Amino acid sequence: LAFFGPAAHLWFAMIFRLVPGNGLPSLVAKTTLGQVFFGPIVTVVFFASFLWVQRSLTQAALRDKVSRDLLPTVVAGLGFWPLM
């Protein structure tokens, strides 16, 4: 919460400036940018938090976790959006 709230605020402020409008093309562009850039960043922070809670956060552990789990997690997240 301490990370996501401020990060989302800054992200949406930037995205609304970069991609104005509220039609379908704007919606698709904003969603795509969020999934390609913001989603993976938040996921890496989540992975780091998870490792920290387990008291196993090191640069090597985070690198291994990201290389092993980031792509499958992002792909699973992409499966969510068609339902919306």
Side-chain angles (χ1 to χ4, degrees), residues 49-69:
S49 301
F50 178 75
L51 291 170
W52 180 73
V53 167
Q54 291 183 318
R55 298 180 190 263
S56 59
L57 177 60
T58 64
Q59 189 174 10
L62 182 58
R63 187 179 327 109
D64 291 343
K65 179 77 172 159
V66 168
S67 66
R68 183 180 63 246
D69 294 340

Side-chain angles (χ1 to χ4, degrees), residues 12 15-31:
F12 286 116
I15 232 37
F16 288 139
R17 260 184 310 186
L18 291 175
V19 185
N22 56 5
L24 184 60
S26 174
L27 173 67
V28 170
K30 290 172 187 172
T31 302

